[in-house]
Amino acid sequence: MSILKELEKDIIQLIEKAGYHTDKLYLEESNRKDLGEYQLNDAMQLVKTYHKNPREIASDIVAVLEQDSRFQNINIAGPGFINFSFSEEYIYEILNKMNDDIFSNIDKKEKKKIIIDYGGANVAKALHVGHLRSANIGEALKRLSRAMGYETLGDAHLGDYGRPLGFVVLEIMKRYKNLPFFDENYTGNYEEIDLPITNEELEKLYPIASEKAKQDPEYLEEGRLVTSKIQNHERGYYDLWKKVVEISKKDIKNVYDTLNTEFDLWLGESDAEVYIPELQRIYEEKQLLVDSEGAKIIEISKEEDTSPMPPLLFIKSNGTISYETTDLATILQRKKEFNPDEIWYVVDGRQSLHFEQTFRAARLGQLVEDNVVLEHIDFGTMNGKDGKPFKTRDGGVMTLKNLIELVTNETRKKISTEVTEEEKEEISTTVAVAALKYADLLPYRSTDYVFEIEKFSSLEGKTGPYILYSTIRMKSLLNKVETEERKIRKLKGKSEREIALLLLSLQKVMEKSIETKSLNEIAEYLYKLTSSYNTFYGENRILTEVDEELKTSWITLTQIVYNTNMLLLDILGIKVPKKM
Ligand code: ARG
């Protein structure tokens, strides 16, 4: 059990001892530390049950608190707020428990299986800025939910299906006339064939093809035909498509690697394809599929809707399936293959209608039990200074690779350690990714924010590089001393207490983060803890301290803050370089 939970449990018992029963504790860290470090507001709540003056209840509670050596400076303020501080010994206890194991001081949640759908890269298209937040937030939520005890699977859910791919394949066929896939002697062994196309070329094809399709109806028709041939697994077409997916996937994996984003599942939209016939049967049996102008639709509006809800387009009039239908098939697939309790979709807020439609139809079709949670975890956009989604200088779409490069050019200037050129490159990239990720996770997820390269990569302020730099400095201090037993027995200043109180509140921060499914609390906390530590570090000469007991305690404190930072940075998916 976390120290905080233990403390809360004990206070509930003390209140019981004072003659009052409560199930919920109104215990908060105080923002008036001169009155007390914590504030207990239960007396006011108990008035309803006990019909007594709150000050009277408060003084009964204070009387028992005074018997407990953990509390000191206990006083009543206003109508019955109880303020108190912790004794020196209890502060050491908090710290020593944290030193034993931070992880076990985070309470675990009930067992639950969660699939997180994030990343959402599209085959044969470059990952762009829009994909950044899904990767960052999704990866961090995956790590956070695991730390909280859930069983979580991350799925990349590749966009590897549908018309864009048909056009890319068509464009390749037009450019490379003698591809073996369409040869009479083609054996179907696509793995042995080397497609002479790089990923860079591949990424250029779709914009060209889609432009052509807009101008030329014949080309559009050809593209449609190719798409349906791929979807019907026609030899040659299907294999060429697989080859394209293979080339593209390799590159997508590289970008995700740089971002320290790892998926457990690399399934794509196309993997749900086999579930389409069954899906269609489900909706037909329930008589939910309606013919409409050559298409098949599902009515999903509800009486209580205050604005019109368009029907879900299940099969388009040209016979192809929609993005919504692909997601429905994926729900069916996930149900059958993994049987999750919850599915979280970490996707741009601009897709909220899509998910509303999909979830409603999934409920109508009863694809999962009613208690299975389907949740769209939306996020806002990263904007440029003009308030519009961040673009390249000439107004084009900023690819993720370019963005990382841009930030790396900035962080490179800040690396002061003596290393080889190669190492320097690696460190600069790691710091750049930290800068990007931290800035991305710091605002509450559904708020938009402005990309500010100098600010994000600065070594000062609420930034990834500041936290990395400070954490590395803690490590180098720890490396300089050999102490056998790391324990806290003596402290002296205000800043050490502040650190202890922050550590006590870690449990609350984690709870809040998983509740809101946003990382802003953790990102803020990391900054607070780091800067409190830096204040303490600036006030004391740790290495030259002559009082051995004090020195050991300070080193131990450093160790705890270092471990906490490492744990939380790992949850945010941020790597820490050895030096910088
Ligand atoms: N590939 C999609 C896009 O780029 C995102 C996929 C999100 N996940 C989902 N299950 N629809 O917009």
Side-chain angles (χ1 to χ4, degrees), residues 488-503:
I488 297 209
R489 289 203 185 82
K490 191 173 189 178
L491 291 171
K492 59 176 213 189
K494 230 174 79 189
S495 51
E496 292 125 289
R497 269 192 103 86
E498 201 175 297
I499 293 171
L501 291 179
L502 271 171
L503 289 167

Side-chain angles (χ1 to χ4, degrees), residues 43-96:
M44 260 79 66
Q45 301 294 328
L46 290 166
V47 168
K48 285 174 229 147
T49 337
Y50 293 92
H51 310 290
K52 273 195 194 170
N53 181 324
R55 270 196 90 96
E56 200 185 320
I57 302 177
S59 53
D60 290 340
I61 297 175
V62 167
V64 286
L65 291 181
E66 270 167 350
Q67 308 295 313
D68 195 306
S69 65
R70 279 174 289 190
F71 313 113
Q72 63 182 32
N73 178 26
I74 311 168
N75 61 81
I76 303 174
F81 301 107
I82 302 172
N83 296 305
F84 62 83
S85 296
F86 296 115
S87 69
E88 201 66 19
E89 284 67 35
Y90 187 58
I91 292 285
Y92 299 167
E93 195 184 318
I94 295 172
L95 291 170
N96 284 322

